[in-house]
Amino acid sequence: YLFPKAGKLRQTAVYRMGKQADGIIVTNQSDEDALRLHVDNPLAQIPIGSNIIAPAPNAAAIQAVRDGLGLDDDVVLLGYFGFLNETKGADTLLEAMQKLNGRFHLVFIGGQTGSSDGDNNAAFLRDLRQQIDDAGLTARVHWTGFLDDADVSTYLHAADLMVMPYHDGASLRRGTLMAALAHKRPLITTTPQTPIPEFIHGENIYFIPASNPNALTLAIQITTTDNDLRHRLAANAGKIAGLFTWDKIAEKTAVFFQSLQDASGK
C-alpha cells in the first residue's frame, strides 16, 4: 500500500526487496503467485487476522446504537467497515442503495479515509457524498467517524448484514473483511480474483461479481428475506475466522522463521 502512485516502480521495488530477503511472507495467494514469477527465495503464505477484537455482543449497547441512528425495528441496517478508496466498492454499494426501498439503511463504520494516498481518497469521499446527495439518500446513510475498537465491535454487531463489495475482489489481505468474519456477521462481498478455498459461497460468505450494483441489490434482498441463509452465513463466518486467529498466525510465523534459521545454519 506504499507509494500508490508509483506504478511499475512500486512493483520493481517490491521484487527487489524480495530477491534480497532471506524469507518472504505473503498474506494471500494472488501475491504469492505474482512474487513466485520473480523471486526464488523461501516464501510462506500466512494470512492476517481481524484488526478488531470481537467480544461477546452486548444487546443493550447494540440497541443503543440502533436507537441513536433513529432506526425503527423493521429497518435493515447494512454495514460497511474500513477506510474508503476507489478500490473498495462503496460507490457500487450506494448504487445498490438507490434500488432498495426506504426500509434499508447503511452505516459507514470507522474513519473515512486513511493517510495513504490522502488526496485521491479525499476526492473519492467527496464524490461519494455528492452521490448520496444526488440520490436523496442522506437520511438513510449514516457515518460513525473514528471509533475505538469496542465501539467498532458494537456497530458491527448492530448491522444486520455486512456489505463490502471490493472492486478488486475479496482477499485475505483485508483486515476489515476478517473483522466481519470474526464478529460472526453475514457478509456479502465480491468474488476473489484468485480463489480462496476456505471461502464457500452460500455457506460462510456470499459472493457477487465486482462492480455490479444489480447483482449486489439482489444479493441484499435474498439474504435479507432468507433467514436460514443469513444465520448460516453468520455461524459459519465465525468458524472460518477461527482459522485466522493471531495465535495461529504467530505460530506459523515462528515456524517459518525457524525454518529460515535452520537453513542458514545460524
Side-chain angles (χ1 to χ4, degrees):
Y1 298 106
L2 299 178
F3 311 118
K5 298 179 182 178
K8 292 184 178 180
L9 179 60
R10 177 184 174 188
Q11 287 186 330
T12 301
V14 170
Y15 297 150
R16 181 174 181 180
M17 286 189 290
K19 291 176 181 178
Q20 294 176 337
D22 294 310
I24 306 163
I25 294 175
V26 297
T27 62
N28 60 91
Q29 189 63 49
S30 59
D31 284 349
E32 177 175 345
D33 291 344
L35 273 170
R36 287 198 183 280
L37 294 175
H38 301 271
V39 177
D40 295 326
N41 296 359
L43 186 152
Q45 183 182 149
I46 304 175
I48 62 172
S50 170
N51 53 8
I52 301 292
I53 296 173
N58 182 317
I62 292 170
Q63 188 59 51
V65 161
R66 294 181 66 94
D67 291 344
L69 296 176
L71 306 181
D72 294 333
D73 291 342
D74 66 338
V75 164
V76 177
L77 182 60
L78 308 178
Y80 178 103
F81 177 39
F83 290 135
L84 295 164
N85 66 45
E86 60 187 8
T87 71
K88 293 185 177 180
D91 49 345
T92 301
L93 177 51
L94 290 176
E95 289 185 59
M97 279 290 293
Q98 296 178 55
K99 302 173 185 296
L100 297 166
N101 62 37
R103 181 185 173 211
F104 291 86
H105 282 234
L106 168 64
V107 59
F108 286 104
I109 302 169
Q112 296 167 8
T113 60
S115 57
S116 178
D117 202 13
D119 291 343
N120 280 357
N121 293 343
F124 179 73
L125 177 59
R126 287 194 297 270
D127 289 343
L128 281 185
R129 289 189 175 278
Q130 189 64 54
Q131 185 180 355
I132 291 168
D133 290 343
D134 292 345
L137 292 172
T138 304
R140 294 167 51 204
V141 176
H142 311 273
W143 307 83
T144 70
F146 284 99
L147 299 171
D148 63 26
D149 285 4
D151 287 337
V152 167
S153 182
T154 300
Y155 271 91
L156 289 174
H157 283 297
D160 297 294
L161 182 65
M162 294 300 297
V163 186
M164 299 160 72
Y166 309 110
H167 287 304
D168 54 358
S171 170
L172 294 179
R173 72 161 67 95
R174 303 279 192 186
T176 48
L177 182 148
M178 305 309 291
L181 297 177
H183 283 74
K184 302 179 181 179
R185 308 314 297 144
L187 172 64
I188 297 174
T189 189
T190 40
T191 304
Q193 292 183 352
T194 301
I196 302 173
E198 295 87 353
F199 289 170
I200 303 174
H201 172 68
E203 289 297 321
N204 52 33
I205 205 161
Y206 198 101
F207 285 137
I208 57 164
S211 308
N212 190 324
N214 290 329
L216 178 55
T217 303
L218 180 60
I220 291 171
Q221 292 169 330
I222 290 173
T223 51
T224 299
T225 56
D226 190 335
N227 291 334
D228 290 341
L229 170 62
R230 194 170 64 258
H231 293 156
R232 182 169 68 250
L233 292 174
N236 290 334
K239 293 177 182 178
I240 191 174
L243 301 174
F244 306 110
T245 58
W246 284 108
D247 57 340
K248 293 179 180 178
I249 292 168
E251 182 179 352
K252 291 178 180 178
T253 303
V255 168
F256 181 58
F257 284 176
Q258 185 63 57
S259 70
L260 297 176
Q261 186 175 21
D262 292 344
S264 69
K266 297 181 180 178

